[in-house]
Amino acid sequence: MGTPAFPDLGNHCSVEDCKLIDFLPFTCDRCDKVFCLQHRSYIKHVCPNANQRDVTVLICPLCARGVRLVPNEDPNITWDNHVNGNCDPSNYQKATKKKQCPVPRCKEILVFSNTIRCKDCAQEHCLRHRFGPDHNCLGPRKPDTGFPFLSGLRSTNQNTGSSKWSSNLLNAASSIRASAEASMQRLSLATNQALQKAKDGMAQGDGRCSDLVEQCGQCGAKFANVSALIDHVEKAHEGRERRSTPGRVTIDVCPRCSKAFRDPVLLVEHVEKDHGGFSRS
C-alpha cells in the first residue's frame, strides 16, 4: 500500500461493507478508527462514542436552570438527581421575570443600557423617566427616629399570630420607649431652664460658675452674656461716674486689641463684632 516514495500513504476504510483504500483517510476523534471520505461523519459510520463530547442542556421548568445531560446515562436519572439536589423553584421568578420601570403605565424593560438610578430615591428608572418630576420622586428617605424593633415585632405578630410571649415582649419594649421619651423630655426642659437662667444673668458675680465668660473691666464682676454686662455698667458705673464727675469723659479700652471707646456700648458692640462676643481669651 502506498508508493515507493510514501510507503505509509493510504489506508482501508474501517466500515466492513466499504473497505475502500483512501490515500487521505480520516481518523475519528471518538472511536479512533480510520474511514474514507464517504464514511467520515459519526452518522455514516455509526460511531458508538459520538455523544461523549456532546453538551446537551435542558431548561428545568421548575427553577429555570440548565441541566446538562451526562453521556451514557439515562436522562431520567439525571433529571431525578437535579430535582432532588439543587433544584430551587424560587429561582424561577428571578430568572423569568424581567425588571420593568416602576412608573405607572410604563412597560419599559430595564436592561444595562437604559437603566438610570435616581440619586434621591435610589430607584432605577428608564431613560424617559430618569428625572425626578417624571417619576414623582419622593426625595431621600427620612431616617426613622423611633424604635424599628417595635414595628418589626408588630408585623411579626400580625403575620404569625399574637402569642403570650410576644405580647409581653412588646409591652416591655413599649414601656422602655415611653421611659426613654420621658427622660428626653425632662433633659430638654432642664437644658432650656439652664439656658434661660444664663441669658437672664442670674449668676452675676459668682466665681464658682465656669459658664460666666463676660467680666466687667471696672469691678471685675462676671456675667453670662453681653446684655447682662451692659445693664451692669449702665446701672453700677456709668450713673455713678456721671454724678461724681459730670464733666469728665471716661475712655474704655478693649482688652483684646487695646482699642479705645468713649461709650461702653460701642465697646461691647466692638467685642461682639470683631472678637466673637468674648472679651477674654
Side-chain angles (χ1 to χ4, degrees):
M1 187 175 299
T3 62
F6 301 97
D8 297 331
L9 184 63
N11 203 342
H12 288 280
C13 180
S14 299
V15 178
E16 296 294 337
D17 297 337
C18 181
K19 293 297 182 177
L20 179 67
I21 298 176
D22 197 332
F23 290 97
L24 294 175
F26 297 88
T27 302
C28 180
D29 58 350
R30 304 297 174 86
C31 59
D32 296 331
K33 293 183 180 181
V34 179
F35 299 95
C36 63
L37 179 62
Q38 183 181 359
H39 299 98
R40 70 184 186 278
S41 62
Y42 302 140
I43 299 177
K44 291 296 184 179
H45 67 265
V46 192
C47 183
N49 302 327
N51 61 345
Q52 287 184 355
R53 297 184 183 181
D54 290 346
V55 181
T56 303
V57 178
L58 300 178
I59 303 301
C60 177
L62 301 178
C63 63
R65 290 182 178 179
V67 181
R68 181 178 179 181
L69 298 182
V70 181
N72 299 326
E73 186 180 50
D74 190 1
N76 295 324
I77 298 177
T78 305
W79 172 255
D80 292 338
N81 294 334
H82 167 71
V83 172
N84 298 326
N86 58 353
C87 184
D88 186 10
S90 62
N91 186 63
Y92 184 83
Q93 293 293 335
K94 300 179 182 178
T96 58
K97 185 178 180 180
K98 297 181 180 180
K99 192 173 183 180
Q100 296 181 353
C101 181
V103 177
R105 295 184 298 276
C106 182
K107 299 181 180 180
E108 186 73 19
I109 303 298
L110 297 181
V111 294
F112 177 77
S113 59
N114 69 338
T115 302
I116 299 295
R117 182 181 295 274
C118 181
K119 295 181 180 180
D120 296 331
C121 60
Q123 290 186 356
E124 294 182 349
H125 302 84
C126 63
L127 296 177
R128 186 174 57 181
H129 301 102
R130 63 185 182 273
F131 297 110
D134 296 334
H135 62 264
N136 297 327
C137 184
L138 301 177
R141 184 179 180 182
K142 296 181 180 180
D144 189 6
T145 57
F147 292 85
F149 170 72
L150 295 180
S151 60
L153 186 59
R154 291 192 182 95
S155 62
T156 303
N157 290 337
Q158 293 177 359
N159 296 332
T160 60
S162 59
S163 60
K164 184 177 180 181
W165 180 85
S166 60
S167 300
N168 295 335
L169 183 60
L170 181 61
N171 295 333
S174 301
S175 62
I176 293 174
R177 178 181 180 180
S179 178
E181 291 178 351
S183 301
M184 293 297 295
Q185 292 179 357
R186 289 195 297 269
L187 179 61
S188 177
L189 181 61
T191 304
N192 294 333
Q193 292 178 356
L195 292 176
Q196 187 65 31
K197 289 181 180 180
K199 291 180 180 179
D200 295 341
M202 297 181 63
Q204 298 181 5
D206 191 1
R208 294 174 296 176
C209 182
S210 61
D211 295 336
L212 304 180
V213 295
E214 302 295 339
Q215 184 176 6
C216 180
Q218 300 184 20
C219 62
K222 295 183 178 180
F223 301 91
N225 49 38
V226 179
S227 300
L229 175 61
I230 294 175
D231 295 339
H232 166 73
V233 171
E234 290 179 351
K235 294 179 181 179
H237 301 294
E238 186 175 359
R240 185 185 305 171
E241 291 179 358
R242 289 179 180 177
R243 290 192 301 267
S244 61
T245 56
R248 184 178 176 182
V249 179
T250 303
I251 298 176
D252 297 323
V253 180
C254 177
R256 285 269 184 110
C257 61
S258 301
K259 189 175 181 179
F261 299 88
R262 292 186 178 182
D263 191 355
V265 178
L266 297 178
L267 172 60
V268 173
E269 292 178 355
H270 162 71
V271 171
E272 288 182 340
K273 182 178 180 181
D274 298 336
H275 302 298
F278 296 91
S279 61
R280 298 183 62 187
S281 58

